[in-house]
């Protein structure tokens, strides 16, 4: 099995459906590394070893996963759709601008609604690095766009931000008025 397919499966388990593998997840999204390996292997859909898991965590281009210092636990850093999970975010003042990767279709919906929604997740995700936002935008396999967000103005208006272990900036909602540019790929 490819690392990509295994990563997609682990992302599902650690962000959206721990019950699919009978994982005992805590309130911050941590699960036992050994339970993850054992239960993935028992399910029979995929085979997982500790070296494979270590490689996946080390090479994930978005840094989605974190081990505890002793590697006895693992979590997804953010992006959970599980209502009772409370992501561990560090409150911080954002850089002047942040970037949100999305699609042309979603941008139209944002204009209609007047804000960027967190959807089924705990927060709107933004990047300080525009290239990482493009990576997020392109995953949808639709016409990608990156929204440049005036995060400094948001913070000045009292809107709180948190940053995840892997550098993803999060907030509850982004009002349309803070979108200062819409970046599109070259045609």
């Amino acid at each position: 099995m490819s690392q990509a397919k295994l990563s997609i499966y682990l992302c599902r388990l650690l962000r959206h459906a721990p019950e699919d593998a009978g994982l005992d997840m805590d309130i911050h999204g941590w699960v036992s590394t050994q339970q993850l390996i054992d239960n993935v292997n028992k399910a029979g859909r995929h085979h997982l070893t500790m070296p494979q898991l270590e490689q996946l965590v080390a090479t994930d281009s978005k840094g989605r996963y974190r081990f505890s210092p002793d590697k006895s636990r693992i979590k997804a850093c953010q992006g959970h759709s599980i209502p009772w999970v409370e992501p561990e975010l560090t409150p911080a003042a954002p850089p002047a601008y942040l970037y949100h990767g999305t699609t042309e279709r979603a941008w139209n919906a944002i204009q209609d609604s007047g804000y960027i929604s967190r959807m089924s997740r705990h927060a709107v995700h933004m990047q300080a690095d525009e290239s990482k936002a493009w990576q997020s935008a392109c995953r949808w396999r639709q016409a990608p766009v990156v929204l440049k967000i005036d995060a400094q103005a948001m913070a000045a208006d009292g809107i709180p931000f948190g940053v995840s272990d892997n550098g993803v900036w999060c907030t509850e909602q982004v009002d349309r008025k803070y979108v200062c540019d819409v970046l599109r790929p070259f045609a």
Side-chain angles (χ1 to χ4, degrees):
M1 174 208 324
S2 75
Q3 279 290 99
K5 286 183 180 181
L6 183 56
S7 179
I8 289 167
Y9 181 60
L10 291 179
C11 187
R12 175 174 171 68
L13 294 178
L14 296 176
R15 292 168 76 179
H16 310 296
E19 67 278 1
D20 285 2
L23 300 176
D24 298 317
M25 183 175 282
D26 77 9
I27 195 163
H28 296 296
W30 289 101
V31 301
S32 160
T33 303
Q34 193 59 57
Q35 184 186 53
L36 175 67
I37 292 168
D38 291 345
N39 290 12
V40 165
N41 291 334
K42 281 179 196 170
R45 182 174 177 190
H46 302 283
H47 180 74
L48 181 62
T49 65
M50 185 62 173
Q52 284 176 309
L53 189 57
E54 289 171 330
Q55 180 182 8
L56 191 141
V57 170
T59 61
D60 184 75
S61 64
K62 294 183 181 180
R64 280 181 277 236
Y65 313 106
R66 284 287 178 267
F67 281 117
S68 61
D70 65 358
K71 295 187 179 179
S72 67
R73 298 181 309 147
I74 187 171
K75 71 171 183 170
C77 295
Q78 86 292 322
H80 301 85
S81 63
I82 305 162
W84 51 265
V85 168
E86 297 174 9
E88 296 175 298
L89 302 174
T90 302
Y97 298 102
L98 290 169
Y99 301 90
H100 177 73
T102 191
T103 65
E104 195 71 53
R105 183 174 165 192
W107 169 235
N108 291 332
I110 291 163
Q111 291 178 89
D112 290 343
S113 70
Y115 61 91
I116 301 171
S117 166
R118 61 187 175 98
M119 300 182 297
S120 64
R121 297 184 180 177
H122 288 79
V124 175
H125 295 169
M126 295 167 284
Q127 299 284 345
D129 179 346
E130 182 185 331
S131 67
K132 287 186 177 181
W134 277 112
Q135 188 179 17
S136 293
C138 291
R139 80 182 187 275
W140 299 108
R141 295 191 175 102
Q142 297 177 23
V145 296
V146 168
L147 307 179
K148 185 176 181 181
I149 309 298
D150 189 344
Q152 189 171 28
M154 289 178 67
D157 288 345
I159 298 168
F161 286 84
V163 64
S164 68
D165 291 345
N166 62 337
V168 174
W169 288 85
C170 299
T171 193
E172 284 293 310
Q173 179 175 297
V174 178
D175 191 285
R176 161 68 178 93
K177 71 181 181 181
Y178 297 113
V179 177
C180 56
D181 201 1
V182 179
L183 309 172
R184 292 179 172 87
F186 295 109

